[in-house]
Structure formats: structure tokens, C-alpha cells
Amino acid sequence: MTLFPIFAQLTGKPVLVVGGGSVAERKAQSLLRAGALVRVGAPTLTPALSELASQGRISWLAGNFVPGWLDDVWLVIAATSDNELNAQVAKLAEEARIWANVVDDPANCSFHVPAIVDRSPVTIAISSGGHAPVLARRIREKLETLIDHSTGSLAALVARYREVIRKAHPQLSGRRGFYDWLIDGPVGGALRSQQPEHAETLLQQALKQPQAPAVGKVILVSAGPGDPGLLTLKALRALNEADVILYDRLVSQDVLDLARRDADLVYVGKSPGENHHQTQERIHQAMIDHARAGRKVVRLKGGDAFIFGRGGEELAVLAEQGIAYEVVPGVTAAIACAAYAGIPLTHRHVSQGLHLLTAHSALAQDQPDWASLAREKQTLGFYMGVTQLPEVVRQLIGHGMRPDMPFALIENGSRPGQRTLTGKLEDLEHLAREHAMQAPSLLLIGEVVRLSEQLHWFGQRYDHLSEAVLEAA
Ligand code: SAH
């Protein structure tokens, strides 16, 4: 039998909850949110229900169930722990043509309470007809992750402008195009970015134009270090909605596998013989062209786009060209490698701060302040340039760092095949060679590395640190 789904308008209508325990409490609260006049019938109440009763927000029918409680209510929920009593309530309700729900007893229900995703005024209700509540809950969880919380404010905005939009676009096809733009374009984007006034201004401007503007935009999405479990929900949503995905070398296949099936996946990393400048120019042009053609572009970068990812440069180009964009942050390699190697980046009495650098800087014109980096009680994270590590070691030791300062070199952090090599700084060069450490690898330096002895939990670890204990002051 198929159920007929309805959304009931209960504002100001008396409804009955039989039972005063925690289940009854949850039901009473959701009925209250819908504006119903809630009566709770039970000999005793939970503290929260008592509180509601003393505030006059529910009425308490104290005592055991009597049929008279059903007089003039619109619906009833039986939520006592007594199955027979619940069934009796349902039977009497049926006779009086009052909708009845018995919690966890579908056979005695004349209506079911669905699992919901609440983006008021948008509500998504899911029912398995009482056959598989676990499955309904799973579907609900999935939808919760996919539907942005700004959906509610979008619906509220649409409600206010519905008439105006209908007048501006009297033809159905034009109106559909306008709504597509409204939802997918900069108005939806502004609401996701918590800029409701800007969203409204954009909507008003667009209403003055005869045609719906193009929806093209770019989402700069940080893909994390490789383990797809480290994507944010926002990144996953963007991958689900993209028309075209421009990705770099460090984005893992496992992450790309999560993209919408019919999205165009375009590799834009460096091609053979091309210099960085050319690569960057080509990426800028690709973003601009796809967005101008009205596509939803995801610019997908490994780790976090704003940490040695040139994300800022790419956004600057979009800003200059007046193309709408959003940014989704991600787990950067240093954070992920540290977590997956069991190395807290700061630790009481051991490390008070963290510096993120590139190994390239050891050879660059613009040198970092090595003397301050060589100091105790901090953690250094070096990205890129495994081949430049000897120069990093030389600079640090040359500026006063202890040659026996612990390091960890983490290869393929968070990916299958992650390897962690730990040792003393002075031994870094030959150990890295001995273990044939490859890119992508991240170097962590500091006393915190010793904690991995106890806390390491993922992948292989090759330990060349002395048996010395953690030097906690
Ligand atoms: N934006 C990226 C960094 C890009 S630079 C981020 O936030 O992580 C590229 C360097 O990042 C690599 O050379 C390597 O040092 C580091 N890296 C990226 N992914 C890594 C991984 N899974 N394991 C180890 N190092 C990684």
C-alpha cells in the first residue's frame, strides 16, 4: 500500500501526545515547532515537559489515559511504553476519525511521521512506509550533507519576490531560466556566503534586465591531501554540482571519483616543457572561458588552495574579470600529514607555534629568517622540493638548530602507501636517500616529532630517532 504524503497545517489546532517520557518529549517539541496546541497526557512528565507545562506552552492532562482526552483533537501520538495502551489509543482514535501515530508500531498507525531535513521553509520528508526506518534515516543523512543550509533563506527570498518575478518574466520558459540563474548563480552564492543584502541587490538588478543573466561562476575548491574522507561537505557538494572540474596533479583519483558523472574533468597541471607562468596563464584562461560560457566551474586544488596553492592569484584574475566565485577551504598537507603520523603540531611545553614554508625558499632570493626558525619550542613544516632538503638542513644547523633535532618526512600523507621516516636532522639527507623518499612528501621538524613514537597509527613508520625521551621542560 502506498502512503499519501501530506504536510499538515497544525497552527492553533489542539493535538494530543499520550505519554510523558523522552519519546513523548521529542514528539511534543516537534509539534510545538509546527505551532500546534499541544496537550500531553501522562501521570508523570520528564523535567523538560514539566518546564513546558509550567510555562504554559503545553497543557498537561495529569493521570492515566481516558477516552475523553481524544475529544476535539486533530491528531494523536501514542508514545507510552505500554503497547496495549498505545493500541487502545489508536483504536479509539480510528473510531473517532482522528489521525493516530503509535511510535515504532506501524501496524497501528493511521499516519506516519517521516524523517525530515529541515531547511525551513523548505522541508524534505522521507518515509519508508514504516518498513525500513534505518534506510529512511540514511537517506536523510545523505540529503543533510548535500543540501546547503542557505536553501531556507533562498526559499524565503523567492517567496517575497515571486509576484515581481512573475510580472518581469510572464512566459514560463523565461521564468524557468530566471529561477535557474537565481538558484545556481550569484544570488544563491551570496546567500551561501552570508550576504543576504547583496543577494537581494543582485536579484533587483537582474529583474531590470529583459534576459536572465548567465550563471557561470567558479568555486575554488580545496581537495585535501588525498584521502577523500578529508573533503568538506561543501567540497563534496561543489563536486556534485560542477559542469566542469579543472584539477591539478596533486588531486587524488579517489577524490575525482566523487565528481558528478557527467562533469567534464580537465587536467590543468603543468604539461611537459611548459613553464609555471605558461601553466598559470592557461589555467586563468580556462576558468574565464568556461565561466563566461555559463558553466559552473570547480577549480580543484590539492590540500588547501590558499597554502602554497596560488589560489589568491587565480581569484585575483576572476575578480578583475568580474566573474563570481566562492572559496572552499581544505585540509592542508601539513595538518593531514601530522594527524596521520600521530604528530601534534603544537603540544603543551613542547611546541608553541607552527611555521609553514617551502623547501624551495632555501635557495630563493627572498630568504626566510633562518635564525628565528632555528629556535626551540616550535614546529616547522616544509612543503615541496624533496631535493632541496639538504639545503634546508644546512641553513637550520648553520643558524644554530641542534643537529639532533627530530624530523619526520611523510610521503603520500593520508593516502594508501603513506610512509613516515623519523630521525635526527643531521641524518636527514642520507636517511631520505636510503629510504628513497619521493614526492609528494612533507617535512616536519621539531620536538613534537617524538610523540609519533607513541601516537603513530597510519601507514608505515621507519624510526631512526634515539631512545631519548621527549624533552618536555
Ligand atoms: N596546497 C597544497 C600544497 C601544494 S604544494 C596543500 O595545502 O597541501 C605541493 C606540496 O605539498 C608537495 O610537494 C608536498 O610537499 C605537499 N603535499 C601535498 N600533498 C601531500 C601529501 N598527500 N603527502 C605529503 N605531502 C603532500
Side-chain angles (χ1 to χ4, degrees):
M1 199 78 71
T2 315
L3 298 174
F4 182 68
I6 57 172
F7 287 89
Q9 169 61 270
L10 291 180
T11 316
K13 298 196 170 80
V15 299
L16 174 66
V17 176
V18 184
S22 57
V23 179
E25 179 185 312
R26 277 203 306 280
K27 300 295 172 191
Q29 267 155 350
S30 50
L31 288 164
L32 275 179
R33 274 197 294 278
L37 297 178
V38 181
R39 298 174 186 170
V40 176
T44 56
L45 297 181
T46 64
L49 282 172
S50 298
E51 178 75 19
L52 287 172
S54 64
Q55 291 167 348
R57 297 182 52 209
I58 61 170
S59 15
W60 179 22
L61 310 170
N64 291 318
F65 175 74
V66 287
W69 285 358
L70 288 168
D71 291 349
D72 80 346
V73 298
W74 288 70
L75 59 83
V76 56
I77 295 180
T80 75
S81 51
D82 178 345
N83 291 344
E84 255 168 59
L85 172 60
N86 287 344
Q88 188 202 347
V89 172
K91 186 165 167 285
L92 289 171
E94 181 85 15
E95 283 165 15
R97 301 189 180 198
I98 295 165
W99 296 107
N101 176 274
V102 179
V103 177
D104 288 337
D105 182 4
N108 275 312
C109 288
S110 59
F111 78 93
H112 292 196
V113 180
I116 67 159
V117 179
D118 183 3
R119 298 288 185 274
S120 298
V122 175
T123 309
I124 302 167
I126 304 136
S127 159
S128 66
H131 295 294
V134 176
L135 186 62
R137 269 203 297 281
R138 281 285 180 88
I139 296 170
R140 187 190 75 85
E141 281 161 19
K142 194 149 219 173
L143 292 174
E144 277 287 355
T145 63
L146 288 177
I147 297 170
D148 195 271
H149 277 81
S150 65
T151 304
S153 28
L154 184 62
L157 183 69
V158 166
R160 278 193 285 129
Y161 280 86
R162 210 162 134 187
E163 270 311 298
V164 191
I165 293 171
R166 207 177 51 79
K167 287 211 182 86
H169 296 278
Q171 302 294 336
L172 186 62
S173 61
R175 197 150 68 235
R176 282 220 182 106
F178 189 81
Y179 275 115
D180 283 342
W181 171 81
L182 191 68
I183 295 165
D184 296 328
V187 174
L191 290 173
R192 275 194 297 280
S193 314
Q194 295 289 320
Q195 295 172 327
E197 281 157 29
H198 183 49
E200 196 152 351
T201 310
L202 288 169
L203 172 54
Q204 287 164 354
Q205 283 167 355
L207 279 167
K208 290 185 195 129
Q209 290 159 18
Q211 285 266 317
V215 294
K217 69 170 176 193
V218 177
I219 310 187
L220 180 59
V221 177
S222 305
D227 177 352
L230 295 179
L231 280 176
T232 60
L233 292 179
K234 281 208 161 192
L236 185 61
R237 275 179 209 142
L239 289 173
N240 264 300
E241 289 169 9
D243 294 318
V244 49
I245 298 172
L246 307 174
Y247 69 96
D248 284 344
R249 190 168 45 84
L250 276 176
V251 175
S252 73
Q253 189 57 45
D254 288 343
V255 166
L256 292 174
D257 286 345
L258 293 171
R260 206 181 85 183
R261 286 283 138 91
D262 44 2
D264 276 339
L265 285 169
V266 185
Y267 173 74
V268 294
K270 211 170 150 197
S271 36
E274 196 182 36
N275 68 30
H276 281 293
H277 183 71
Q278 287 169 330
T279 317
Q280 220 35 62
E281 286 286 303
R282 187 165 47 75
I283 294 170
H284 294 167
Q285 203 53 51
M287 289 192 305
I288 294 166
D289 292 346
H290 285 297
R292 287 258 160 82
R295 300 195 185 101
K296 265 185 268 177
V297 183
V298 162
R299 173 71 180 107
L300 191 62
K301 286 172 171 287
D304 181 273
F306 278 0
I307 295 183
F308 306 127
R310 307 188 77 152
E313 288 167 51
E314 295 183 12
L315 289 193
V317 170
L318 297 174
E320 268 165 33
Q321 300 287 325
I323 292 170
Y325 60 80
E326 292 171 45
V327 185
V328 179
V331 180
T332 187
I335 304 283
C337 290
Y340 279 55
I343 301 172
L345 289 169
T346 69
H347 195 69
R348 243 149 52 91
H349 308 307
V350 182
S351 168
Q352 297 160 331
L354 169 68
H355 292 266
L356 300 182
L357 304 120
T358 77
H360 294 319
S361 63
L363 293 173
Q365 292 272 309
D366 189 12
Q367 290 277 308
D369 179 359
W370 292 107
S372 82
L373 294 174
R375 285 194 200 116
E376 296 282 330
K377 293 208 175 174
Q378 53 184 351
T379 309
L380 310 182
F382 284 93
Y383 289 68
M384 296 188 269
V386 184
T387 50
Q388 277 123 22
L389 296 181
E391 187 56 25
V392 170
V393 172
R394 209 181 60 76
Q395 289 284 8
L396 287 171
I397 294 180
H399 283 86
M401 186 175 268
R402 282 184 286 118
D404 66 349
M405 179 64 88
F407 79 84
L409 188 59
I410 301 135
E411 177 193 83
N412 277 316
S414 87
R415 302 173 179 220
Q418 171 179 316
R419 297 195 300 157
T420 302
L421 171 67
T422 55
K424 297 178 196 162
L425 194 56
E426 58 191 343
D427 300 328
L428 171 58
E429 188 176 354
H430 84 258
L431 287 176
R433 207 177 319 117
E434 192 178 298
H435 289 274
M437 299 300 280
Q438 305 283 327
S441 284
L442 185 113
L443 175 67
L444 293 175
I445 297 175
E447 280 294 330
V448 284
V449 166
R450 287 191 200 281
L451 289 156
S452 69
E453 212 141 303
Q454 189 192 359
L455 304 181
H456 181 266
W457 61 278
F458 189 89
Q460 288 287 334
R461 174 167 180 257
Y462 309 98
D463 179 33
H464 296 271
L465 277 173
S466 69
E467 32 312 290
V469 284
L470 181 69
E471 272 184 29

